[in-house]
């Protein structure tokens, strides 16, 4: 643990509100993004992050410094997000069952999606971004988390292993598979786009 982190930890244990506010400012956005990899909605992700900060406050005296403070906080988040994801999945299954029964009795129409009004010149970028997001969303949650932390957040392999409680070898395998799946999902689109560019 660095001297700076040790000083921050001491301040947190003294109940220093400014130190806690700095910690929240530093990590809140990333925590929310990682939570969103596990849970179905942004609202649920916000709840998971709030539960995480509460867990940090309640457990700060139990932190032993075996990992960085950041890694410890993200591990709390991941544990809570995984638990919440299971609960949300069960709720969704129940709602789906009830909805199927209700749909048989209802003739209400579903709203149509809004037409795509993006400028033509930005269509390629927009489509690529959407396909990329779809490909990442289709990954299992552990693959999404590893891919996001390594390739988007820029975490080191060690940090990811500590936060997600993974072995180094397993982390490498998961990251390779996640990248391969995303690449394979985008390949047909990218080849089509290159062909269209050459023809143009």
């Amino acid at each position: 643990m660095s001297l700076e982190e040790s000083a921050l930890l001491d301040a947190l244990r003294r109940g220093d509100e400014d130190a806690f506010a700095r910690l929240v400012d530093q990590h809140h956005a990333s925590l929310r993004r990682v939570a969103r990899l596990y849970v179905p909605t942004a609202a649920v992700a916000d709840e998971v992050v709030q539960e995480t900060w509460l867990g940090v406050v309640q457990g700060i005296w139990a932190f032993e410094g075996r990992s960085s403070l950041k890694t410890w906080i993200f591990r709390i988040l991941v544990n809570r997000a995984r638990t919440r994801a299971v609960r949300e999945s069960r709720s969704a299954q129940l709602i789906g069952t009830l909805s199927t029964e209700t749909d048989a009795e209802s003739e209400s129409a579903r709203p149509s999606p809004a037409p795509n009004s993006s400028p033509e010149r930005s269509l390629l970028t927009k489509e690529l971004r959407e396909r990329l997001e779809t490909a990442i969303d289709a990954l299992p949650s552990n693959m999404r988390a590893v891919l996001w932390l390594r390739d988007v957040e820029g975490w080191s392999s060690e940090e990811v292993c500590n936060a997600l409680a993974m072995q180094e070898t397993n982390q490498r395998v998961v990251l390779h598979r996640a990248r391969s799946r995303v690449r394979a999902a985008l390949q047909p689109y990218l080849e089509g786009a290159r062909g269209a560019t050459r023809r143009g």
Side-chain angles (χ1 to χ4, degrees):
M1 183 184 301
S2 67
L3 291 176
E4 181 181 357
E5 186 166 274
S6 180
L8 174 60
L9 181 60
D10 289 342
L12 293 171
R13 286 174 171 168
R14 291 195 307 270
D16 187 324
E17 294 183 2
D18 289 338
F20 185 72
R22 290 197 304 272
L23 193 68
V24 171
D25 288 342
Q26 185 177 1
H27 297 302
H28 189 86
S30 293
L31 287 168
R32 190 176 186 274
R33 287 193 293 268
V34 173
R36 190 66 182 85
L37 300 174
Y38 290 91
V39 298
T41 67
V44 175
D46 287 335
E47 292 177 8
V48 170
V49 173
Q50 293 303 322
E51 292 171 6
T52 298
W53 287 124
L54 180 60
V56 169
V57 171
Q58 294 174 339
I60 194 66
W61 285 98
F63 175 62
E64 298 177 350
R66 295 178 182 175
S67 63
S68 69
L69 188 59
K70 178 182 79 170
T71 298
W72 177 69
I73 293 170
F74 274 84
R75 182 174 290 181
I76 293 174
L77 173 92
V78 169
N79 288 337
R80 280 165 170 69
R82 285 172 173 165
T83 299
R84 188 62 181 268
V86 171
R87 192 193 324 163
E88 292 293 322
S89 176
R90 289 173 180 164
S91 298
Q93 290 173 3
L94 176 60
I95 292 170
T97 301
L98 296 175
S99 296
T100 300
E101 294 173 354
T102 303
D103 288 345
E105 303 170 358
S106 173
E107 296 180 3
S108 60
R110 297 178 184 273
S112 300
N116 185 353
S117 58
S118 302
E120 185 176 344
R121 62 187 300 178
S122 65
L123 184 60
L124 185 65
T125 302
K126 182 175 183 295
E127 286 184 5
L128 179 57
R129 184 174 64 249
E130 290 174 349
R131 287 173 184 265
L132 177 60
E133 291 173 354
T134 298
I136 293 175
D137 287 343
L139 296 172
S141 60
N142 66 323
M143 286 189 181
R144 287 201 306 271
V146 171
L147 183 71
W148 183 271
L149 292 175
R150 288 297 308 276
D151 291 351
V152 179
E153 294 291 332
W155 283 32
S156 70
S157 175
E158 182 180 2
E159 287 177 319
V160 172
C161 289
N162 287 334
L164 302 183
M166 300 177 71
Q167 295 294 325
E168 167 66 23
T169 302
N170 188 34
Q171 186 268 156
R172 286 201 303 267
V173 170
V174 170
L175 179 61
H176 174 72
R177 289 178 177 171
R179 287 170 173 169
S180 296
R181 287 196 188 187
V182 171
R183 198 160 40 238
L186 294 179
Q187 194 67 28
Y189 173 77
L190 293 175
E191 289 178 351
R194 283 194 293 267
T197 300
R198 285 193 295 269
R199 288 192 298 271

